[in-house]
Amino acid sequence: MIPYFSLASGFLAGKYRSEADLGKSARATFVKKYLNERGFRILSALDQVAKTHGSTPTRVALAWLLAQPSVTLPIASATISINSMSCSVPPI
């Protein structure tokens, strides 16, 4: 399986944490559905694991996907230049 929206359009990266954040990008229309109690619990868990391991929510989310036996390759698209990103997903 190859998940297409591996970071839920940026939500799992922590980019959107309130409705006020929805104005940040055109992807906001896809993200609004995650702004609920379940979504915030998931973000909280990602934040906790990231902090414990000195990582980021993005890396934790991708590492979790890569650890799933049915996932071959998660697709993580970016809205910023690849040159301004840290491209590696180190172990957590």
Side-chain angles (χ1 to χ4, degrees):
M1 172 186 349
I2 301 175
Y4 186 72
F5 287 105
S6 300
L7 296 174
S9 297
F11 179 75
L12 295 177
K15 184 176 179 180
Y16 306 97
R17 293 182 179 264
S18 71
E19 292 217 14
D21 294 332
L22 294 178
K24 289 183 180 179
S25 97
R27 294 181 179 182
T29 55
F30 299 109
V31 176
K32 191 172 183 173
K33 64 184 171 190
Y34 302 121
L35 294 177
N36 56 46
E37 185 178 331
R38 180 176 184 260
F40 295 132
R41 281 194 318 264
I42 291 169
L43 276 184
S44 177
L46 286 171
D47 288 339
Q48 288 175 354
V49 172
K51 184 177 179 182
T52 298
H53 295 282
S55 192
T56 66
T58 301
R59 289 177 174 170
V60 172
L62 291 174
W64 183 86
L65 275 172
L66 287 168
Q68 304 310 303
S70 61
V71 174
T72 320
L73 173 73
I75 296 173
S77 60
T79 57
I80 59 174
S81 167
I82 196 75
N83 294 328
S84 61
M85 293 176 55
S86 170
C87 298
S88 63
V89 181
I92 57 168

